[in-house]
Amino acid sequence: MTTLRSTPVAVLSGTLQVPSDKSITHRALLLAAVSDRVVTVESPLDSADTGATLSAVEACRVPVEGHLGGRVEIRGRGLRGLLPSPAIDCMNAGTLMRLLPGLLVGSRADHVILDGDDSLRRRPMGRIATPLRRMGAAVFTSPGGLPPLVVSGGVPLRGMRHDLEVASAQVKSCILLAGLFADGETWVSEPVTSRDHTERMLAAAGVPVMYADGAVGVRGPVEGLSLPDLRVPGDFSSAAFHLVAGALLGDPEVRLTGVNLNPLRTGLLEVMRRMGVAVQVTVGPDVAGEPCGEIVVRRTDHVNATEIAPEEVPSMIDELPLVGLLAAVARGTTTVRGAQELRVKESDRIIALVRALRGMGVQAEELPDGFSVTGGTHIPGGSMDAGHDHRFAMLGAIAGLASRDGVIVAGFEAAAVSYPGFAADLRALGAGV
Ligand code: S3P
């Protein structure tokens, strides 16, 4: 276990190119694997999570050359051509475990077991197994709707409409992928639209993606996919750590380049502005069919508390703990509601946040569907455990820089799940971590 001592700094400044987007990398690797061509993916994220997906692709006998972080060439086996090994380890990657079954149901998979680490084994999978089974697929969870999953392919699927109770890009993506093999139309509606990377990539690969009555759909069976070569843009969720660091310490500024600005991901920007933080966004040319650009943020001495409404949650689902951190120095009490999904992420992120903030002397309360944080003049500092959750390892590091006494982060190695170079990037901005 690695312990990080994050000591206070006066200012942070500089320019960073944040690592490539995790969600887009997972999707690019998976869709390339079932394409009819050799697909070149430039700068796929090199992290533990995306490494799990690349290994899963190889475990489906898809020829792969190159390496993550550089360039990967994937010789797609065609939509129905995956030949999975009997067991696939998804490690910590929820996106892999939820998207891959959507492809395996159309393959010759026979009783493929999908398993993962202890954290993934606690995450709900009934939310994909149930809709896939309604379509006719052979997908089974372990008791309680948990991993391991058992997936078989080769069963005829029927298209239908699914009205999700919870907004989830992973569930929506899984269903749409299965819809490629189904007879007729498969539709998915969500209470609030979640990130649409899968829809964009399917459209780029030649699949007509339909939108009607607040739902998104595909018409199957689709003959084949032809994903064009693509470059993966920077991850907004990774940039978010530096955005909050910049709001607390950026002087003269922290500049983040090549960041994916998909509007369904960037809710944090709106919240930061509402809290009084100066953030400037410059949108550049699209990358991989996604808006992309530069973000500049400066330190703000007067941060105001805010309320996050349930309908805002999907656009900042992974950034909500950072809202909690910013709230620690805001005037007033910040409240987040309608965010019960946080309880089934890599950890129970409501409990994890409240525990982490209290461990550094900040006043925070757990709510059934969110949390509240009452700001003070500063973050006193203390210690916390990342609890095997990458986003908390990084949150602790940022908190320490802006604190009075520093923060000791146990289990810092978890950061490598999405951002192995995080500490080095912080040092590049002037941090002494
Ligand atoms: C993701 C969707 C979100 C997000 C996760 C990545 C994706 O999960 O929290 O980090 O790549 O589709 P849900 O779909 O479960 O909300």
Side-chain angles (χ1 to χ4, degrees):
M1 183 141 99
T2 312
T3 297
L4 180 97
R5 280 168 199 283
S6 178
T7 49
V9 284
V11 296
L12 292 175
S13 74
T15 300
L16 285 182
Q17 164 66 62
V18 292
S20 297
D21 191 87
K22 182 155 83 70
S23 292
I24 296 175
T25 300
H26 283 303
R27 286 159 172 80
L29 299 176
L30 291 172
L31 291 189
V34 293
S35 277
D36 291 328
R37 59 186 296 274
V38 181
V39 181
T40 303
V41 183
E42 293 278 352
S43 59
L45 173 66
D46 184 10
S47 70
D49 243 30
T50 48
T53 294
L54 192 61
S55 299
V57 163
E58 290 182 294
C60 292
R61 287 206 232 155
V62 180
V64 172
E65 271 178 41
H67 57 90
L68 295 175
R71 162 194 290 202
V72 176
E73 236 181 51
I74 297 178
R75 189 167 297 274
R77 292 191 61 98
L79 202 46
R80 293 166 182 79
L82 297 182
L83 289 170
S85 54
I88 292 182
D89 183 1
C90 299
M91 294 166 66
N92 191 243
T95 305
L96 172 60
M97 190 174 266
R98 294 210 178 110
L99 265 61
L100 185 58
L103 293 175
L104 291 182
V105 294
S107 75
R108 279 168 274 169
D110 185 20
H111 274 78
V112 174
I113 298 171
L114 302 188
D115 205 351
D117 67 11
D118 288 347
S119 146
L120 191 57
R121 278 186 163 201
R122 286 192 290 269
R123 300 188 66 185
M125 294 298 151
R127 49 178 67 189
I128 60 154
T130 302
L132 291 181
R133 276 204 303 271
R134 281 182 63 216
M135 295 171 77
V139 177
F140 301 96
T141 66
S142 300
L146 298 173
L149 291 178
V150 179
V151 184
S152 296
V155 186
L157 304 182
R158 47 184 178 277
M160 59 178 58
R161 183 180 167 110
H162 304 263
D163 295 302
L164 305 187
E165 281 169 20
V166 176
S168 166
Q170 294 176 349
V171 176
K172 172 177 62 174
S173 299
C174 175
I175 295 171
L176 289 175
L177 294 177
L180 303 176
F181 307 104
D183 253 329
E185 296 179 359
T186 297
W187 291 91
V188 186
S189 79
E190 303 177 276
V192 181
T193 306
S194 64
R195 65 189 69 185
D196 62 354
H197 306 305
T198 302
E199 294 90 307
R200 287 172 186 256
M201 218 177 274
L202 283 176
V207 176
V209 177
M210 309 178 289
Y211 294 88
D213 302 327
V216 58
V218 292
R219 183 180 293 115
V222 166
E223 282 303 305
L225 293 190
S226 181
L227 184 69
D229 295 346
L230 63 99
R231 179 159 66 85
V232 181
D235 195 324
F236 182 84
S237 297
S238 297
F241 294 94
H242 304 298
L243 286 175
V244 170
L248 298 169
L249 296 160
D251 191 358
E253 64 181 32
V254 170
R255 182 178 293 264
L256 304 163
T257 59
V259 186
N260 175 234
L261 296 171
N262 183 314
L264 297 166
R265 293 279 298 274
T266 53
L268 177 70
L269 293 176
E270 165 58 26
V271 168
M272 288 178 74
R273 290 196 179 111
R274 215 154 74 203
M275 294 176 87
V277 179
V279 254
Q280 270 175 325
V281 177
T282 312
V283 183
D286 281 10
V287 177
E290 298 261 349
C292 210
E294 195 169 283
I295 314 175
V296 176
V297 61
R298 296 187 183 86
R299 160 208 231 123
T300 311
D301 292 324
H302 301 289
V303 181
N304 301 313
T306 190
E307 284 189 11
I308 310 293
E311 59 275 15
E312 292 183 289
V313 165
S315 70
M316 61 184 94
I317 186 70
D318 293 334
E319 289 69 66
L320 287 170
L322 284 169
V323 172
L325 179 60
L326 195 54
V329 295
R331 245 177 320 193
T333 299
T334 294
T335 311
V336 173
R337 303 307 301 251
Q340 53 275 22
E341 269 300 285
L342 290 179
R343 295 201 183 273
V344 290
K345 293 294 178 187
E346 286 84 329
S347 63
D348 179 332
R349 287 184 171 162
I350 295 179
I351 291 180
L353 178 71
V354 170
R355 196 175 284 158
L357 289 178
R358 286 185 180 168
M360 39 183 107
V362 174
Q363 200 184 321
E365 304 299 330
E366 178 182 346
L367 302 171
D369 60 344
F371 55 85
S372 71
V373 177
T374 302
T377 51
H378 61 274
I379 299 166
S383 62
M384 61 168 282
D385 193 313
H388 307 286
D389 187 331
H390 56 131
R391 302 211 188 273
F392 279 86
M394 296 185 277
L395 177 142
I398 300 291
L401 300 179
S403 70
R404 185 191 59 205
D405 303 331
V407 171
I408 295 171
V409 188
F412 181 73
E413 72 282 353
V417 158
S418 62
Y419 198 161
F422 180 69
D425 277 356
L426 274 187
R427 283 193 286 275
L429 293 179
V433 289

